[in-house]
Amino acid sequence: MGALGRNAEVGVIGAGAMGAGIAQVAAQAGHRVHLFDNRMGVAEEAQRQIGATLAKLAAKGKLDASQAEAAAARIVAVHAIGDLVSAKLVVEAIVEDLEVKRKVFRELEVVVAPDCVLASNTSSLSITAIAAGMKHPGRMVGMHFFNPAPLLPLVEVVSGVATDRAVAQLVHDTAVQWGKVPVHAKSTPGFIVNRCARPFYAEALRLLAESAASPSTLDAVMREAGGFRMGPFELMDMIGLDVNFAVTKSVWEAYFHDPRFTPSMIQQEMVAAGYFGRKSGRGYYEYASGAAKPLPATEPPHPRPGHVRAAGESSLVAPLRERFASAGFEVVQVASDSAIGPAYFAAGDALLVPSDGRTATGIAVACGNANVVAYDLAHDYRTCTRLAVAAADSCSTAAASAAIGALQAAGIAVSRIDDVAGLVVMRTVAMLANEAADAVTQGIAAARDVDLAMCSGVSYPRGPLAWADAIGLAHVDEVLRNLAAHYGDARYRRSPLIVRRSATGGTLVS
Ligand code: NAI
């Protein structure tokens, strides 16, 4: 079917934050845009704002001045749904209310031509439900942009039960023509991103609930070891705790209270207190003028141990071994003991073991060596500036100090956290991959598209599925099994895809 012709007119209903952004994107792509809002003057104001934004981009040299002017001139504010009569695609971005959206689409259907594609920018409602009762539900599709629409590349193209394939493909190809990164998704609660991102917040909240570490420590570890642009608490403060809690609750309710998505008591308490994040001046952090951001817990300097030995080989050990070698350690290779794990280090008297979802104490008990220090996952051990570690309850002070000192000698700041299962980045990434794998298993999106959506929609440093492959699927499977055993909680049940692929030595996307 191909993309919508550039001469085709586009209608946008709702001229708020999203509608205005979508109108700008369509106009910049060369379409004439009719913009409608049922509040008097709102479409005109949005049109004026878009003109000003485009002029500013031209003044900064980011856009050709004549192109900016032409794009602004292509947007027309209109005053009735009837004025969308010649549109070939209408994107709706009005209030998030199923009945109101249904009413608007029913009105629209009798106005536009039979081949006009009708799209909703809804972020939480079912496309199937919006289309129900329409005369031609096959032309109804989700076109889910991210905020701000002119800047963020991802568009989830969402098909409901009745959506025609050709219609979804046209919207997909049109999004490409508009310079976006579209992915196909089935209409299910949260679509791809809002569902697959839940563990990013949920694991951090669980760690906070277990008093593993402070929000600033957990955020620093997720940024500096995990490679995420923002930590989960910083991000929740920016999104708004009320909004984040509402999305969490709606996904949990929509999945019939699946424990995977159970919200946190902490979220509920913070919202009840009116701590909504940046917008209310207080969330997990304080935003009053002069309020200093608390520093992450960072170990003071520890002495460098006399030796570091590497036992076994794995993707979690090899790059760190290089780093120890660069720090001047002569890293002798020895055989590994499978009770400890396939690969780990000995630093002084300590065993420095990559987290496998057990607590350090659990590993110590299993291998009969008291001095176990577990270390967290890093997005890239060669360049990370911080790592979280946890020492077994039985670990001696001298052994813990040797493990920390070795990492510090390699130029890594160390956040020592309580001895929780799976540490921070490891359990979060394992659960992100688990959720992504379930979305694939359930046919919501293709594996590559899930990874693409998480990288271009929420700027993850790596797609969760490709990340699991890089860690080694067998290890991710083990982390999940150990978390499930530790908590006895169905939240940590493994995705059938991970169970199957790891059993045969397969991968998720690679
Ligand atoms: P908004 O409140 O900024 O704008 C909504 C606009 O729709 C308002 O100007 C309002 O006057 C207008 N409107 C309401 N009912 C109308 C009707 N019956 N006919 C015509 N115009 C009507 O809301 P926002 O944030 O732009 O969200 C719009 C839609 O986009 C919602 O479905 C939301 O879930 C979705 N969305 C929002 C994102 C966000 O971050 N704000 C991100 C992605 C999707």
Side-chain angles (χ1 to χ4, degrees):
M1 200 171 186
L4 202 63
R6 288 191 197 269
N7 290 333
E9 188 182 296
V10 172
V12 176
I13 308 183
M18 293 308 293
I22 296 164
Q24 182 187 326
V25 171
Q28 281 188 263
H31 299 277
R32 193 173 159 80
V33 179
H34 279 183
L35 179 59
F36 167 65
D37 197 288
N38 69 351
R39 280 189 299 150
M40 277 297 283
V42 169
E44 281 82 355
E45 176 55 22
Q47 181 191 23
R48 202 189 56 72
Q49 286 280 352
I50 298 165
T53 304
L54 290 169
K56 228 188 269 169
L57 287 174
K60 281 191 195 160
K62 291 192 174 162
L63 212 64
D64 179 82
S66 62
Q67 279 177 3
E69 250 174 60
R74 281 193 283 270
I75 300 175
V76 182
V78 299
H79 301 105
I81 281 199
D83 295 330
L84 306 179
V85 59
S86 40
K88 290 285 178 242
L89 165 68
V90 177
V91 186
E92 164 275 316
I94 66 166
V95 60
E96 190 75 336
D97 180 307
L98 178 61
E99 283 319 312
V100 179
K101 286 195 197 281
R102 273 182 166 162
K103 184 166 167 284
V104 162
F105 279 111
R106 279 199 301 265
E107 268 179 58
L108 194 57
E109 234 191 346
V110 295
V111 168
V112 295
D115 63 346
C116 173
V117 169
L118 304 181
S120 174
N121 183 51
T122 180
S123 47
S124 65
L125 300 173
S126 153
I127 296 299
T128 303
I130 297 175
M134 275 172 60
K135 262 203 244 116
H136 303 291
R139 59 165 150 170
M140 175 74 217
V141 63
M143 191 174 193
H144 184 216
F145 289 82
F146 288 72
N147 192 13
L151 295 183
L152 292 185
L154 182 65
V155 175
E156 291 177 331
V157 178
V158 185
S159 291
V161 167
T163 305
D164 281 347
R165 264 172 187 243
V167 165
Q169 199 55 44
L170 177 131
V171 166
H172 178 281
D173 296 350
T174 301
V176 171
Q177 189 165 276
W178 292 3
K180 296 293 170 191
V181 175
V183 291
H184 284 290
K186 207 154 86 177
S187 179
T188 43
F191 309 139
I192 303 173
V193 169
N194 278 336
R195 170 201 179 152
C196 293
R198 295 335 307 153
F200 184 74
Y201 312 105
E203 291 312 307
L205 286 161
R206 278 244 165 160
L207 288 166
L208 186 62
E210 282 183 49
S211 311
S214 66
S216 61
T217 303
L218 295 168
D219 277 348
V221 168
M222 288 294 280
R223 269 188 279 105
E224 295 177 42
F228 291 92
R229 209 175 268 183
M230 289 178 89
F233 297 101
E234 294 158 338
L235 188 53
M236 284 186 274
D237 270 7
M238 196 180 86
I239 293 169
L241 271 63
D242 51 339
V243 174
N244 185 264
F245 183 46
V247 175
T248 307
K249 248 182 26 181
S250 92
V251 171
W252 173 60
E253 278 158 11
Y255 280 103
F256 307 116
H257 297 181
D258 185 334
R260 273 277 178 78
F261 305 111
T262 309
S264 164
M265 220 45 122
I266 295 176
Q267 282 175 298
Q268 178 161 283
E269 282 294 285
M270 296 289 279
V271 172
Y275 294 175
F276 296 155
R278 276 174 197 252
K279 63 186 173 191
S280 72
R282 184 162 181 175
Y284 294 105
Y285 299 100
E286 279 199 48
Y287 297 93
S289 69
K293 196 169 173 188
L295 292 173
T298 305
E299 282 294 303
H302 287 252
R304 179 190 169 100
H307 72 266
V308 172
R309 298 197 179 96
E313 264 301 350
S314 82
S315 66
L316 301 167
V317 157
L320 206 47
R321 185 198 157 120
E322 270 175 43
R323 232 172 138 167
F324 285 134
S326 306
F329 288 107
E330 203 181 307
V331 187
V332 175
Q333 184 73 39
V334 295
S336 62
D337 170 354
S338 62
I340 303 167
Y344 51 89
F345 296 97
D349 285 342
L351 292 174
L352 185 58
V353 184
S355 174
D356 64 1
R358 289 180 289 176
T359 57
T361 305
I363 300 171
V365 169
C367 73
N369 186 329
N371 293 327
V372 170
V373 175
Y375 69 87
D376 202 5
L377 176 67
H379 174 237
D380 187 349
Y381 285 109
R382 284 166 307 180
T383 55
C384 71
T385 52
R386 179 179 297 274
L387 266 183
V389 302
D393 294 346
S394 51
C395 186
S396 72
T397 309
S401 181
I404 295 167
L407 292 168
Q408 288 175 333
I412 301 171
V414 176
S415 288
R416 182 173 174 175
I417 68 167
D418 198 32
D419 186 19
V420 287
L423 288 168
V424 183
V425 183
M426 183 61 89
R427 70 193 266 166
T428 304
V429 170
M431 285 298 280
L432 286 169
N434 204 28
E435 201 51 56
D438 259 2
V440 174
T441 306
Q442 293 158 14
I444 287 155
R448 270 175 211 292
D449 279 357
V450 173
D451 269 6
L452 188 58
M454 302 316 283
C455 292
S456 57
V458 272
S459 306
Y460 283 4
R462 204 185 286 195
L465 299 170
W467 202 340
D469 288 344
I471 294 167
L473 205 49
H475 189 84
V476 172
D477 183 66
E478 177 147 26
V479 170
L480 293 169
R481 261 190 291 132
N482 286 331
L483 285 170
H486 181 77
Y487 288 109
D489 186 335
R491 180 187 205 100
Y492 297 99
R493 69 179 187 272
R494 291 171 298 156
S495 163
L497 192 64
I498 290 185
V499 174
R500 216 174 74 210
R501 295 275 170 85
S502 64
T504 54
T507 55
L508 296 172
V509 269
S510 318

